[in-house]
Amino acid sequence: MAILGAGMIGEVHRRAALLAGAEIVGVMASTPERSAAVATAWGVEQAYGSIDDVLASDVEIAHICTPNSSHVPYATALMESGKHVLCEKPLGVGLADARHAAEVAERTGMVNTMPFAYRFHPMVRELRARVQSAEFGAVNLMHGSYLQDWLLNPRATSWRVDPAAGGPSRAFGDIGSHWCDLVEWVTGDRIAELVSTTSITVKQRPAATAASFSAVASDAPLIDVTTEDSALIMFRTAKDVAGSAVISQLSAGRKNRLWIEVDGMHQSAVFDQEQPERLWIGEDTASHLLVRDPNQGSAEQRRLATLPAGHAQGYAQCFEAYVADSYAAVDAYQGRGEVPDGLPTFTDGARAAAICDAMLRSAVSRTWVTVEG
Amino acid sequence: MAILGAGMIGEVHRRAALLAGAEIVGVMASTPERSAAVATAWGVEQAYGSIDDVLASDVEIAHICTPNSSHVPYATALMESGKHVLCEKPLGVGLADARHAAEVAERTGMVNTMPFAYRFHPMVRELRARVQSAEFGAVNLMHGSYLQDWLLNPRATSWRVDPAAGGPSRAFGDIGSHWCDLVEWVTGDRIAELVSTTSITVKQRPAATAASFSAVASDAPLIDVTTEDSALIMFRTAKDVAGSAVISQLSAGRKNRLWIEVDGMHQSAVFDQEQPERLWIGEDTASHLLVRDPNQGSAEQRRLATLPAGHAQGYAQCFEAYVADSYAAVDAYQGRGEVPDGLPTFTDGARAAAICDAMLRSAVSRTWVTVEG
Amino acid sequence: MAILGAGMIGEVHRRAALLAGAEIVGVMASTPERSAAVATAWGVEQAYGSIDDVLASDVEIAHICTPNSSHVPYATALMESGKHVLCEKPLGVGLADARHAAEVAERTGMVNTMPFAYRFHPMVRELRARVQSAEFGAVNLMHGSYLQDWLLNPRATSWRVDPAAGGPSRAFGDIGSHWCDLVEWVTGDRIAELVSTTSITVKQRPAATAASFSAVASDAPLIDVTTEDSALIMFRTAKDVAGSAVISQLSAGRKNRLWIEVDGMHQSAVFDQEQPERLWIGEDTASHLLVRDPNQGSAEQRRLATLPAGHAQGYAQCFEAYVADSYAAVDAYQGRGEVPDGLPTFTDGARAAAICDAMLRSAVSRTWVTVEG
Amino acid sequence: MAILGAGMIGEVHRRAALLAGAEIVGVMASTPERSAAVATAWGVEQAYGSIDDVLASDVEIAHICTPNSSHVPYATALMESGKHVLCEKPLGVGLADARHAAEVAERTGMVNTMPFAYRFHPMVRELRARVQSAEFGAVNLMHGSYLQDWLLNPRATSWRVDPAAGGPSRAFGDIGSHWCDLVEWVTGDRIAELVSTTSITVKQRPAATAASFSAVASDAPLIDVTTEDSALIMFRTAKDVAGSAVISQLSAGRKNRLWIEVDGMHQSAVFDQEQPERLWIGEDTASHLLVRDPNQGSAEQRRLATLPAGHAQGYAQCFEAYVADSYAAVDAYQGRGEVPDGLPTFTDGARAAAICDAMLRSAVSRTWVTVEG
């Protein structure tokens, strides 16, 4: 397989691929010279000068870790040439882009996956199994938040603040998309219509670009910010269940608090990504804390629980499982085994784009809008 | 003073009044006979046959613990006759009612208070002091939830389900009103406009009436439910800060989870009514747990902290402080001392009615609406 | 009834007695003049000049809230003269004292109770019911700690530091005694032998006396400290179960953390006095959080749960229940009703003294010692 | 490098070595045939038939993942032949064994490390930095527990139950050794003398062997158990600080709860291995929750924090850091870079053996004993 993009996230893919037993045969970086340098550093054979070199090669699988605007052109070209793709989020920078990629994926039938990595926390699998069980009862409410604080400093900035590089939605597009993907996947229900409100609290930030999650402030000249610091949505689902989510990158002390509560007619359940080893289950008579455990719980939780209970797994294992399951899907394509459950695909990427599009429309129109897709 | 209403809540008032050192001279129950019986049981002198008896008496202070529909007629008549009133929530069953009561209170100048009791948790006082301090930074988001599960059982019912007895809004009117009162009081900001969505998940419930918080199901014939099981609001404040609240009485395992997060530009803060002895403060570098402590923190927190740290106070102490502070306000009226800080009055009751009215209007119109009042 | 001692703790007794419906007929303070002043302030009839006045009076019940050294002389004299006593901890300042009081109690048959108040947390009752149930399995280990920080400041002091006033053991005598009482009462087992080690970390403190829990440092001249800041014990019970407790008044951030874990062959259980509304139950498959709830759980938990779930009870309610149950025991003595379950008596006070005596002996001898009593 | 032992733990070493960039050139399994099979499966060149083959090879580094009794013979032979060793815990099955290994390590000067893996949690590094800082104040108490439940089922068994295979101490040797290593390493103080008590609650277990952490019960014939289910120690350190630890494998609901509290004269600190992303710091005025964050805190915490805050690291990352740091020590031996801070060596392994030996002696003699070593 080959990795396109040799930045921090390319390195993350390389590590997970290595653990999955993949052979990395080539790499494409930002320039032919840089490709050659990285190929040497990584000890891989091929250094691709361009996407055409990759398309012409005989690699079967490509990881796309390049800037957002190239995700869809690369992914569609790769699939059209018969290659399987693992493509970083987001699926392009707009709804049309994402739908196009999903259509090509559908038509070509190549394996196409995206790292909605939180689906791979074993306790998210447990949450899904519980919420969809008879003991849980019909869902009557879904709510939560996804809070970070890395942009709290008015002088903090990142390429994600720039709509040309990161897309027209920032907080929602980046992290709200994960929240919506999880709540839909966990409940098996879909957000049908929503109303939103967004805030740009820090009106100007430095123009300089910086890597995500950097806490280092910039001294660059200030420019107007046009992407939201926080976005709130309220929604109703296809099954007419109400829901609410609070998305913000300005919540001091919240590092990556993706928090979901689903309330059923017999039980409630909470998953908090900052404490991913456990699940809270509420009942009228008591509440219960379930811990990740290869010897307990749902089949999917056990499958992804690779360490004994009490020996914490974390984000790295999520990503490793995403890559391993993507490769298992390729194996299944080639006739070996089954496609693993719960792999996020381009269809999910297009769905995220549709919800983001609806959120942006409602923030402008100040009305309830229908999610189209 | 006198107590009007001799049910469970009348008993709660009596207990708090006793601890505040008040002399209870009379009681009015549902009938003259019952008044006489209660007067004997409580060992008080006067048994009032009717509100006219109370108006004609020389009691200075009356606690109104009668059914909701009598709150405003009794309160206004008492104030017009020169008596101070402590009136149970809600301030009548509609916005007009509540405004009328607030106007009479304003005009007569009598002491008028209402048990938005959660304001009297010492750590809510600490929260308020912190949120309004310079160290906190400007508020950029306010969000949270108030969740209970006592109506989860489809056969559970209460007079609160009946709009004629409890008003047109149930979950929001009962508990959402507390959430909004707290967030406005804590931040010093006001909800200017909101959009809401409500759900009646249990379409029919038994007709029988039962005391609030009862978990005992009823076998009475089913009738259609017209008051909401859950209500979600999204709002913007006078200072253009966005906010969100999730209110539900169908969240299994949540007994009385009033949870508020306020996010400022330097710190965030969380108060959880189910763990009222502490406050979470988030900062970029760490988060902090403050505990109630008569030797630490803000002046108001210290004032209401009557037990040493680590010896939990709770809901009873909130109610006791509400009553004691109401009496202190009467003392101030009579020239002794100052009116304590943070006493909820009929103005606050009318405010709660205005927000509830806006919530109901938006749920019908499916549009953003302005809070009038 | 009458209250002996009009300090802070006398006031606490008065408040609980008032709520229990008792009529306070007299008070004895440190001098006849002060007795008269307090009687006026409290509005009670009798101001006792001395214990002899109390003995000669016709009061049926006396609350002993005077300094430690008077507890046993007063209590025994009162019981000998046919009065019931509620006596503050400790039961005198040594083992012989305590045994004498227990013997007089036994002989006279008068009601005799002591405020091991933590027994009255409803969730401690739940803990006891669970631990002694078949589902719990045989206990295999009991451990925990009782940590405070109010003596962390080297200039903090109190009469409790002085062995003449507070007894030869400080941390263990004050708070370790509560831990041992709870663990024995909850498990129904008894500490048979123990080994201990104690530390006096702050070698000198100011000589001045101050009220307990005061955080105000003193400028008085320093004197050598002879009572322990912390005490550790390891023990084996009558049923040969091992246990361990860590007792300290120098643990920063711990205000009143009485924490007990009991491990059974099917379940484990934890009670944390700083979060008294809940109980943690561990099982191999999951752990469970039980909340205080008048509608759930064991009979004794329900009996003491006077507020709905989620409306926190706390330390004040413990003390109120202790006094109310003591009065119910007097009623039972007089032929009305039953003696409530779990009332701590002088037998328990003597037991606490015996364990403390063993702890002190082992700290000196550096050997395992038998608890005598 | 080469891996000796191809079981589950050998696989864990292989994975971490791979991520550290090591080239695995050979493997030795339980038989020559199995060595050949594993070599093929792993794709490595050499399949060693015996330890002599390894000694004769030119590998520079060996990972010893074979049964306990072979640890010391293999390790010493390897070091004597000029090879660096990463040796699994424990360092042999007795104190003499361990001391011998430490002496050979000292004499040969080869790199010698052992996976006291919990030292590599970034927040343990933070704990160490804080505890040894001036702001913390002198340590006055250290206490905690290490609790598991995997042997709660009386029919659960493992080779660890058999003293011939696992050594004379089970719970303490396995997990108590980690607790003691951490507390000594974190505080920089040493346990000087201790008193212990042990319990064998399940008197007989099945004879069959099973992998550790297995929850599957065995139907094999029962044999007497001679290794402890739980061990309690109380100790005093070289600096005369008191301490206490509760070690058990029979605590229901506790999966791997290594919990340490260190109390200083200004601050206290708690690390809980089941929530390894955070640290609790107590002060008189508040307590603080610190989270792992590559942008905050001590140098060593930052160095080991390889993921952004809020993206949980876990046990796998500890092990990876242990192996990477071991390799860095080899690099330093070869003149490249520095030996990383905090690497556990055979000296630490011998220290663990000495404490375990003292624990066993005290359990028999029922006296305080000196830790020799």
Side-chain angles (χ1 to χ4, degrees), chain C residues 210-279:
Chain C
S212 288
F213 301 110
S214 167
V216 182
S218 163
D219 290 328
L222 297 176
I223 58 169
D224 287 351
V225 174
T226 61
T227 54
E228 81 279 359
D229 288 318
S230 62
L232 278 54
I233 61 168
M234 223 160 58
F235 58 84
R236 299 200 75 92
T237 69
K239 296 178 182 168
D240 199 30
V241 175
S244 163
V246 174
I247 313 297
S248 176
Q249 294 175 324
L250 300 186
S251 294
R254 304 302 193 183
K255 297 304 172 187
N256 202 36
R257 185 173 162 95
L258 190 173
W259 196 96
I260 289 181
E261 175 165 341
V262 182
D263 295 340
M265 290 307 290
H266 302 317
Q267 297 182 332
S268 296
V270 171
F271 175 75
D272 174 2
Q273 201 277 146
E274 291 186 340
Q275 297 199 2
E277 291 279 285
R278 73 187 202 183
L279 198 63

Side-chain angles (χ1 to χ4, degrees), chain C residues 347-366:
Chain C
T347 301
D348 300 303
R351 173 74 189 158
I355 296 172
C356 191
D357 171 76
M359 186 285 293
L360 287 167
R361 284 187 285 123
S362 175
V364 170
S365 68
R366 292 173 51 84

Side-chain angles (χ1 to χ4, degrees), chain A residues 89 118 143-151 160 169-183 191 194-201 227-235 243-252 254 256-260 355-356 359, chain B residues 140-144 234 236 242-244 261 263:
Chain A
K89 283 187 61 213
Y118 300 123
H143 50 107
S145 54
Y146 196 154
L147 308 176
Q148 298 181 330
D149 69 0
W150 67 287
L151 286 168
R160 284 298 291 116
S169 167
R170 188 208 327 147
F172 195 85
D174 264 14
I175 59 178
S177 57
H178 279 290
W179 193 94
C180 294
D181 179 70
L182 270 198
V183 85
I191 298 174
L194 62 79
V195 58
S196 73
T197 188
T198 60
S199 300
I200 299 174
T201 302
T227 54
E228 81 278 1
D229 288 318
S230 61
L232 279 53
I233 61 168
M234 223 161 58
F235 58 84
S244 162
V246 174
I247 312 298
S248 176
Q249 295 176 324
L250 301 186
S251 294
R254 305 301 193 183
N256 202 37
R257 184 172 162 95
L258 190 174
W259 196 96
I260 289 181
I355 296 173
C356 191
M359 187 285 291
Chain B
N140 74 64
L141 203 61
M142 27 185 115
H143 50 106
M234 223 161 59
R236 299 200 76 94
S244 163
E261 175 165 341
D263 296 341

Side-chain angles (χ1 to χ4, degrees), chain C residues 138-142 241-242 262-265, chain D residues 152 199 201 230 248 250-251:
Chain C
V139 172
N140 73 64
L141 204 61
M142 27 186 115
V241 175
V262 182
D263 295 340
M265 290 307 290
Chain D
L152 195 59
S199 300
T201 303
S230 62
S248 176
L250 301 186
S251 294

